[in-house]
Every structure is written in C-alpha cells, then in structure tokens.
Amino acid sequence: MLSILQGMAIPETQALYNEAVRLEKSGKLKEAKETYQKIIAEDTSFHLAYQNLGAIAAKGGNHSEAIEFFLRAIKLSPDYKNYYNVGVSFYRLKEYEKAIQFLKQSLHLDKRFVLGHLLLAQIYQILEIDEKTEIYLTNVIKIDPNHKSALGGLAMYYYERNRYPESLRMLERYLLLYPGNSQLKIIQSEVLAKQGNYKASANMLVEMAKTDAGFTNFNQTLANAWQEEDEISKKSLERIQGTAKKKLKEFQTKLELSRESPEEFTPPEPQEALDLSLLYLFNGNPEKAMQYLVYAQKMKENTDPTGSS
C-alpha cells in the first residue's frame, strides 16, 4: 500500500517506479536497481523503492546490503514483511540472534504470519532449542492445520526424540494430504515397527518396494524431494542419513570381524535389528531392510510370546 507521501508523488516519480517494477518483474535486475536508485535520489521518502532494492540485493545474495535497504524501508513505513525480510537476511548470514529479534518483531505486527513462525522454528532447530522449535511448528499448525512443512517438521521432530505416537499422528496427517513422499513413508513404517506393529510395517515396505520408485533410491531423491520451506524435515532426514551411514559401517565392520572370531559376535537385539532395518532403507537396500525387520519380529516373538503384531 502506498504511503500518503507516495500517494502524493509527482507523476514523473510514480511513472519511474512503475517502470522499475516492470524491469524487475521481467528479470532485468540491474536496470531495475538503477531505476529505483534514481527514485530515492529524487524522493528519499519513497519506501517501496528501498524495499524493492532490498529484495534485489537479497536475490543476489548480498544480504548485508539487503538489510540496509530493508531497514530504511522500515524506518519510513514499519511493515511486518520487511521485518521478516531483515530476519531472513540475518538468517542467511547465520546471525541467528539478530534474525530472531526481527522475526519476533514481524510476528508482533502480525501474529498469524506463518513464514515468521516457520523460520523461527528452523533457527531454534539449528540452535538446538527443542522447546521453542516445537512451539513455533505447533503455532503454524494452529494457524494452518494442513501446512505441509510444519506437519513434516513436527513428524520428524517427534521421531528424533522417540515420541513415536505423536510422530505417527503427524505422519498420517502429512501422508494423507501429501501421499507422494517416499522418505516419510519409510519413517512411518519404522515408527510402526518401533511401536510393535511389525505386520503393518512389513506390509508398507512390501507395497512401497512394488510401487514407489523413491523407495530404493533414498539417497538420490533426498536432495530433490523437499522445497526450501521444508528445511526442518530435510535437515532431520539428512542427520538420520548421516548417522545411518556411520552406524551401518560400524555394523558391517563388526560382521567382517565375526568371520575371524565368530564366538565373539553378538547377534543384534530386536531394537538394534529395527535400527539396522532403517539404516539399510536409508542406504537403498530394501532387501536387507526387510530381513532385519523380519528378524526383529521373530526375536520379539521369542522374548514375548504374546507380542502384538
């Protein structure tokens, strides 16, 4: 919305602004930037010119410059989106405390601004402040119950903290709305197994192996499966994948050593077998994953004859 001063802008300045916007939208950012700079040389109160200069700088990765322009725009006309824009640029510069300050100011002006809540959750995840990560992801769900990134983020947040019933609820909601995500289907099958529902978990894996191309190409599809706004879920999966590779290497070394000294080899416990199942899934080996899932089920049945399925 134009400020009162801009509403009274002389026709030549307004025409120049319209031309700058046209150039920006057509991808001619250098020409657009030069035109915006002409505007503020003539009228230092034209806050939209500063705002758009900030946007151009941010697109080019010049976040320090972007912050200067956004702050000039805020000084002339405080706006929740520009506070958010400053927060984003500080986030890109990894100055997280400053980013938090501006993002909270953005939410002070608009408590239902989803992007502000979501980016705060991402920052608190990086800072490993679990309680606040959960709070801001939950805020997004309260505002938009079907928000894809928040559902996926909460599903992974709960999974990594062994809060399996909560993780499963979020996974079910996510996959009902967005059924094509093979990585979260794998997590769902693992959660089912960890809760003792081996049969449902195995059925999911069998069905995925038949129909889901991403099932056997987890590593290859991870980078392309998520949009930028899904950063929380993606980072969680990357952590799990990294841990999987490390643990699987350790287990394979243990197997190699067992060939030399079989009497020293201890077979995996049911929980370790479940973990191995997930490790093999994340490394593109569904056959091995199924073997360890079946092994875990048999071990559980041997230790608990009344075990659930």
Side-chain angles (χ1 to χ4, degrees):
M1 181 180 293
L2 296 177
S3 68
I4 294 175
L5 285 173
Q6 288 170 347
M8 298 171 61
I10 59 174
E12 291 82 358
T13 303
Q14 186 62 52
L16 204 58
Y17 174 75
N18 293 341
E19 174 63 11
V21 171
R22 186 192 67 78
L23 288 166
E24 184 180 356
K25 288 183 177 179
S26 64
K28 298 178 180 179
L29 299 184
K30 181 180 178 182
E31 293 88 339
K33 183 176 180 179
E34 291 171 352
T35 308
Y36 286 128
Q37 287 171 332
K38 287 180 183 178
I39 293 169
I40 58 177
E42 295 178 5
D43 182 356
T44 57
S45 68
F46 208 104
H47 83 272
L48 289 178
Y50 291 107
Q51 176 179 304
N52 292 359
L53 280 167
I56 290 172
K59 286 177 184 175
N62 301 316
H63 291 290
S64 295
E65 182 182 31
I67 289 168
E68 292 180 14
F69 285 127
F70 288 135
L71 289 176
R72 291 290 297 272
I74 287 171
K75 187 174 181 180
L76 292 166
S77 180
D79 178 85
Y80 74 95
K81 289 185 179 178
N82 277 327
Y83 277 105
Y84 171 77
N85 288 335
V86 175
V88 171
S89 285
F90 275 126
Y91 167 71
R92 297 298 183 196
L93 293 170
K94 298 185 178 180
E95 296 187 40
Y96 298 126
E97 294 301 329
K98 290 181 181 178
I100 288 170
Q101 175 188 343
F102 281 93
L103 291 169
K104 287 187 174 180
Q105 186 61 39
S106 174
L107 293 180
H108 177 73
L109 296 173
D110 185 352
K111 292 180 174 59
R112 296 182 61 82
F113 184 46
V114 165
L115 292 177
H117 290 284
L118 201 58
L119 186 52
L120 278 167
Q122 290 182 22
I123 292 172
Y124 283 123
Q125 183 194 48
I126 292 168
L127 297 176
E128 298 182 348
I129 303 176
D130 288 357
E131 181 182 356
K132 291 188 176 181
T133 302
E134 182 178 8
I135 286 171
Y136 284 101
L137 283 174
T138 303
N139 286 347
V140 176
I141 297 297
K142 289 177 180 177
I143 298 166
D144 180 1
N146 296 334
H147 195 282
K148 180 181 179 183
S149 301
L151 288 172
L154 273 173
M156 294 307 303
Y157 173 88
Y158 292 136
Y159 175 83
E160 288 193 280
R161 288 152 187 83
N162 301 328
R163 293 165 62 177
Y164 298 126
E166 293 159 291
S167 179
L168 187 59
R169 283 198 296 272
M170 290 298 160
L171 286 165
E172 288 172 345
R173 286 173 63 179
Y174 183 103
L175 291 169
L176 182 65
L177 293 164
Y178 314 103
N181 191 304
S182 59
Q183 288 80 27
L184 288 191
K185 287 180 185 177
I186 289 172
I187 295 294
Q188 185 183 28
S189 72
E190 191 69 12
V191 170
L192 287 167
K194 285 180 180 292
Q195 290 189 299
N197 198 340
Y198 293 89
K199 184 175 180 181
S201 177
N203 287 343
M204 276 195 70
L205 297 183
V206 169
E207 186 61 27
M208 288 173 66
K210 290 179 181 176
T211 63
D212 195 331
F215 176 69
T216 55
N217 295 283
F218 184 90
N219 295 345
Q220 293 88 336
T221 60
L222 177 59
N224 300 322
W226 303 90
Q227 301 298 318
E228 184 176 357
E229 61 269 20
D230 297 316
E231 194 69 15
I232 292 178
S233 301
K234 183 179 177 182
K235 291 297 183 187
S236 295
L237 285 162
E238 286 175 346
R239 278 196 301 276
I240 294 170
Q241 185 184 19
T243 302
K245 288 180 178 178
K246 182 180 178 181
K247 286 186 175 180
L248 194 54
K249 186 175 181 180
E250 291 172 356
F251 181 72
Q252 288 169 338
T253 300
K254 185 178 176 182
L255 279 178
E256 288 294 325
L257 291 173
S258 74
R259 294 172 184 172
E260 300 175 8
S261 305
E263 69 282 356
E264 296 180 9
F265 178 71
T266 304
E269 295 292 326
Q271 185 58 54
E272 185 182 7
L274 281 178
D275 292 339
L276 285 168
S277 174
L278 184 63
L279 303 187
Y280 278 113
L281 281 175
F282 278 10
N283 285 277
N285 193 331
E287 293 81 10
K288 283 283 188 182
M290 189 67 73
Q291 287 176 16
Y292 280 100
L293 180 62
V294 171
Y295 174 83
Q297 182 176 12
K298 289 180 178 178
M299 289 292 292
K300 185 174 186 297
E301 289 171 351
N302 290 337
T303 56
D304 178 14
T306 63
S308 59
S309 61

